Amino acid sequence: MAMRQTPLTCSGHTRPVVDLAFSGITPYGYFLISACKDGKPMLRQGDTGDWIGTFLGHKGAVWGATLNKDATKAATAAADFTAKVWDAVSGDELMTLAHKHIVKTVDFTQDSNYLLTGGQDKLLRIYDLNKPEAEPKEISGHTSGIKKALWCSEDKQILSADDKTVRLWDHATMTEVKSLNFNMSVSSMEYIPEGEILVITYGRSIAFHSAVSLEPIKSFEAPATINSASLHPEKEFLVAGGEDFKLYKYDYNSGEELESYKGHFGPIHCVRFSPDGELYASGSEDGTLRLWQTVVGKTYGLWKCVLPEEDSGELAKPKIGFPETAEEDVMFSSISIFSFSPQHA
Amino acid sequence: MQSLPIIPVPVPVLRLPRGPDGFSRGFAPDGRRTILRPEVGEGRIQDPPESQEQRARAVLRERYLRSLLAMVGHPVSFTLHEGVHVTAQFGATDLDVANFYVSQLQTPIGVQAEALLRCSDIISYSFKL
């Protein structure tokens, strides 16, 4: 029987979701943090989308958010000219790092000892989290506001993107190694340590470059302007979302478009695969965060496979599993509600 | 009964993700996390035995869904944040009741032919049966 994707909608945010990041896999599972213009980044269980807590303290829109590998710390970048570091277990604020302009991006080193920040003042800053009072190291050279900055090559190098340029920096010498120029605005960047791959989106393009040399590997063209893209951990697929409200899934090797999904009611700002590759999360202008299955129909997290006896003899009647109930007449009545849903019209 | 078209079956879900409770900032009070049960992500999660609370929740859920059915096509008054009151004809809701599709939305600045109302923006609503 043909299965159709059922995205899991994570409620809670009331304004556009502009950034998201997964932690690595920990004994407690893995976690997902979302940055939102409502100023309230949220932590969720990664595989179910269950809310764990809200990081309260920013006085402006939060533009960037990240978790360290073992999800013990979170960092956020905000329009209130601060970046903050949080205890991701208790939700407490650990550190406030004042900047001179809007902060757009944050990234921990793998050992969580340093935090990289970037923002509208065109400076990269590196904070030693073990010396909170010390001034950060600064790297200048960008000619417009920094959108994204990432540690790479085992924290020896830094990748950063401003409006139309991506730069590679050497951490030890604090100098630029190489740069890439694009004729359109760079919308997002993702770094994949395994294979040293850099994913860059601009216009309708999704480009893959070597993170070590910035040499191009391949690129895809999407039907609409793309705001974010993510490569599957096994390098089988990539997903991308953008201005047309749709999520696209491509085969990484052949470039074939495999699936596309409507579901969001506004442009998609960010999309990321989970660390185990089983799902991907998307954040949108519509104020929702949604989780999508990589393999539709597989039993995972809250998604449940249909056993053969559950659908025998029911070919003409869609079976919709409403949460918290298994009564047949409710399932029957739910069909009528479902048929009105505009996202499936 | 009208014959329904054959469409691909949406993947069933055990429940929807839990959202903020609206009052607290969350996190574990003692700052601890729960080790995952081994079966999460591996095989089926066993359904818990039916409890009295679960049956009550099922009844309440059914009543709410039936109230949505009864609302279709009727004018509904919505109380939104910031003291805004609007009236519209209710059409549909999506699977997780995150948005209401309405038409003829009467707003202080005019009538909107079609609109989506975010349920998180709605404080209360009422309609005449």
Side-chain angles (χ1 to χ4, degrees):
Chain A
M1 173 172 291
M3 300 299 292
R4 186 149 49 103
Q5 176 83 254
T6 305
L8 299 173
T9 302
C10 306
S11 60
H13 283 306
T14 58
R15 292 293 176 264
V17 178
V18 291
D19 194 26
L20 61 91
F22 283 99
S23 70
I25 298 173
T26 78
Y28 308 92
Y30 57 90
F31 298 87
L32 171 63
I33 188 171
S34 50
C36 180
K37 290 183 183 179
D38 63 15
K40 299 172 184 171
M42 293 187 179
L43 185 72
R44 291 184 165 84
Q45 194 72 50
D47 60 328
T48 61
D50 289 340
W51 174 78
I52 292 168
T54 303
F55 297 104
L56 298 173
H58 275 297
K59 295 178 171 56
V62 175
W63 286 106
T66 191
L67 292 163
N68 65 347
K69 188 183 288 185
D70 52 11
T72 51
K73 287 181 185 172
T76 51
D80 60 6
F81 291 20
T82 71
K84 288 183 190 282
V85 181
W86 313 79
D87 181 324
V89 182
S90 65
D92 295 333
E93 185 183 310
L94 296 177
M95 217 172 289
T96 295
L97 308 167
H99 288 61
K100 295 183 168 65
H101 210 318
I102 293 165
V103 194
K104 296 300 279 294
T105 180
V106 279
D107 196 35
F108 287 106
T109 50
Q110 291 188 74
D111 58 13
S112 311
N113 285 330
Y114 294 90
L115 185 75
L116 173 67
T117 72
Q120 296 297 86
D121 61 359
K122 310 172 196 173
L123 289 176
L124 293 165
R125 290 187 172 83
I126 302 166
Y127 291 86
D128 185 337
L129 299 181
N130 297 311
K131 300 173 185 171
E133 307 309 319
E135 286 298 308
K137 295 178 182 174
E138 289 181 359
I139 299 178
S140 59
H142 271 286
T143 53
S144 49
I146 293 163
K147 292 181 166 181
K148 192 76 178 178
L150 301 163
W151 295 101
C152 65
S153 305
E154 295 181 359
D155 303 332
K156 297 190 187 80
Q157 291 183 316
I158 291 163
L159 284 156
S160 55
D162 64 35
D163 186 33
K164 289 174 178 162
T165 311
V166 172
R167 295 173 201 268
L168 180 65
W169 309 85
D170 179 74
H171 180 207
T173 61
M174 307 284 276
T175 56
E176 183 181 304
V177 174
K178 198 167 183 186
S179 68
L180 286 173
N181 291 293
F182 299 92
N183 54 16
M184 276 175 286
S185 187
V186 173
S187 46
S188 81
M189 214 168 48
E190 185 192 40
Y191 167 65
I192 312 290
E194 302 83 29
E196 294 289 341
I197 296 175
L198 179 62
V199 186
I200 301 168
T201 56
Y202 57 98
R204 298 179 177 207
S205 299
I206 305 153
F208 298 85
H209 291 252
S210 162
V212 177
S213 63
L214 294 192
E215 292 301 313
I217 296 170
K218 67 170 81 178
S219 74
F220 297 95
E221 199 78 1
T225 301
I226 294 297
N227 291 331
S228 183
S230 182
L231 182 58
H232 188 269
E234 301 303 319
K235 321 287 188 299
E236 295 172 67
F237 316 109
L238 64 120
V239 287
E243 292 298 309
D244 66 350
F245 303 13
K246 282 189 180 181
L247 276 161
Y248 296 92
K249 185 178 167 201
Y250 295 93
D251 183 288
Y252 179 65
N253 296 297
S254 67
E256 177 192 0
E257 182 188 306
L258 302 171
E259 293 152 35
S260 71
Y261 299 112
K262 298 184 287 186
H264 277 293
F265 298 109
I268 290 163
H269 290 308
C270 45
V271 57
R272 281 290 178 272
F273 272 108
S274 60
D276 61 4
E278 295 282 1
L279 59 83
Y280 46 101
S282 59
S284 168
E285 184 76 11
D286 67 12
T288 68
L289 186 71
R290 292 177 196 245
L291 306 181
W292 309 79
Q293 281 194 291
T294 302
V295 180
V296 178
K298 180 177 180 180
T299 291
Y300 181 85
L302 298 180
W303 290 285
K304 187 180 87 168
C305 70
V306 174
L307 297 179
E309 60 266 23
E310 288 187 44
D311 54 52
S312 61
E314 300 275 351
L315 287 177
K317 193 196 294 185
K319 192 185 284 278
I320 300 164
F322 258 91
E324 295 183 2
T325 180
E327 292 178 48
E328 183 63 35
D329 59 346
V330 172
M331 295 175 73
F332 183 81
S333 68
S334 71
I335 293 167
S336 303
I337 294 173
F338 191 77
S339 67
F340 292 124
S341 176
Q343 58 178 318
H344 300 286
Chain B
M1 178 67 199
Q2 179 185 346
S3 164
L4 292 169
I6 296 174
I7 57 173
V9 176
V11 180
V13 296
L14 299 172
R15 59 176 171 82
L16 295 181
R18 286 188 272 268
D21 62 19
F23 300 104
S24 80
R25 66 166 194 177
F27 297 102
D30 55 6
R32 292 174 181 272
R33 282 177 177 153
T34 309
I35 293 278
L36 291 178
R37 288 170 295 146
E39 67 269 24
V40 171
E42 211 57 58
R44 296 184 69 183
I45 299 173
Q46 294 301 316
D47 293 329
E50 182 115 27
S51 68
Q52 185 173 339
E53 180 186 341
Q54 189 172 345
R55 285 192 298 272
R57 287 180 178 276
V59 171
L60 290 171
R61 179 72 179 176
E62 180 176 353
R63 287 183 187 172
Y64 181 64
L65 295 174
R66 292 191 184 281
S67 77
L68 291 176
L69 281 174
M71 212 155 80
V72 173
H74 283 83
V76 181
S77 296
F78 297 91
T79 300
L80 308 176
H81 290 287
E82 307 289 340
V84 176
H85 293 81
V86 295
T87 301
Q89 181 172 296
F90 177 79
T93 178
D94 51 11
L95 179 64
D96 44 25
V97 199
N99 298 281
F100 282 165
Y101 164 66
V102 299
S103 53
Q104 299 305 308
L105 175 66
Q106 294 166 42
T107 75
I109 57 170
V111 178
Q112 185 77 24
E114 313 282 342
L116 279 180
L117 299 179
R118 274 195 303 244
C119 294
S120 58
D121 288 345
I122 298 170
I123 295 171
S124 65
Y125 61 86
S126 62
F127 66 102
K128 288 181 170 28
L129 276 170

